[in-house]
Amino acid sequence: DLNNRLTVVLLNFRMYRWAYTTDVKAMFNQVLVPPNQRDVLRFVWWRDGDPQKEILDYRMKTHIFGGTWSPSATTYAMRKSLDLVKQKVEPEIRQIVNKCFYVDDCLKSVDEIARGIMQLSRMRAILGEASFELAKVSSNAEDVVKSVPEECRVKGCISLALDGGLPHVEHSLGQGWRPAED
């Protein structure tokens, strides 16, 4: 079992004043299943969805959501990718990837906003090189959120709170979090 313990990830997320969350976009679909193992993911369907037409045989090429093995296989692939990228992977970034992710969700807290900005920047570059794109960035520090492109942010994360609107509630790993109030 390669998954981090959920309680440890959540407790570490609350360790420091500043926090951020992010997830890997379509993580299971980023990891190919070896061709000799694809029969496990075989399914049949009628041509054009019409039961009067012939039955076609398909096999998935990537891991699927709901496969009991998928979280472990994709976690392994993401961690292994750190050894394969061309960029130098700092021990701090390796530690975050290995200890602060629960499958595709990363929850991290930091003592300084600048450190969170640096960590996200390096993780985006390193994991992005390995086709693990970070998305849905949220933080209780406006500068952390603004450090990533808008398309990588949780929509409304900071803007609703700044405009005096209702506080945004972010959900990660089944827990509600109000970054603007935290």
Side-chain angles (χ1 to χ4, degrees), residues 4 9 42 46 50 62 77 90 110-111 117 151 158 161 165 173 175:
N4 292 314
V9 171
R42 184 178 299 272
W46 299 286
D50 183 349
T62 62
E90 300 89 343
V110 292
D111 54 353
I117 291 170
E151 63 272 10
I158 293 294
L173 303 176
Q175 302 296 309

Side-chain angles (χ1 to χ4, degrees), residues 10-158:
L10 290 172
L11 288 172
N12 286 335
F13 176 59
R14 303 306 305 170
M15 188 174 292
Y16 298 105
R17 165 76 175 94
W18 306 106
Y20 63 85
T21 63
T22 186
D23 79 1
V24 177
K25 186 176 180 180
M27 184 168 174
F28 293 162
N29 290 330
Q30 304 308 317
V31 181
L32 292 173
V33 174
N36 66 344
Q37 296 176 17
R38 291 180 184 162
D39 283 336
V40 174
L41 299 171
R42 184 178 299 272
F43 64 98
V44 295
W45 197 250
W46 299 286
R47 181 175 299 283
D48 302 324
D50 183 349
Q52 303 303 315
K53 292 187 177 180
E54 69 178 304
I55 293 178
L56 301 173
D57 192 34
Y58 295 97
R59 296 184 314 158
M60 293 293 295
K61 292 182 178 183
T62 62
H63 289 279
I64 59 171
F65 183 80
T68 57
W69 66 89
S70 293
S72 188
T74 54
T75 295
Y76 174 81
M78 183 172 67
R79 290 177 183 173
K80 185 68 176 168
S81 72
L82 297 180
D83 299 329
L84 303 175
V85 296
K86 293 180 179 124
Q87 298 183 44
K88 177 184 182 286
V89 180
E90 300 89 343
E92 178 178 11
I93 302 305
R94 187 176 298 275
Q95 174 79 7
I96 294 168
V97 171
N98 289 336
K99 300 294 182 190
C100 298
F101 274 86
Y102 187 81
V103 188
D104 62 340
D105 292 311
C106 177
L107 284 75
K108 179 73 174 115
S109 65
V110 292
D111 54 353
E112 298 174 0
I113 293 172
R115 177 172 235 89
I117 291 170
M118 180 278 299
Q119 290 172 351
L120 270 172
S121 172
R122 291 297 297 141
M123 278 196 305
R124 287 185 65 244
I126 290 166
L127 292 175
E129 184 180 322
S131 296
F132 292 105
E133 181 183 344
L134 294 182
K136 298 180 185 174
V137 172
S138 181
S139 177
N140 60 348
E142 181 179 1
D143 289 342
V144 171
V145 175
K146 288 184 174 181
S147 74
V148 298
E150 196 166 332
E151 63 272 10
C152 297
R153 304 174 192 168
V154 168
K155 296 189 184 358
C157 174
I158 293 294

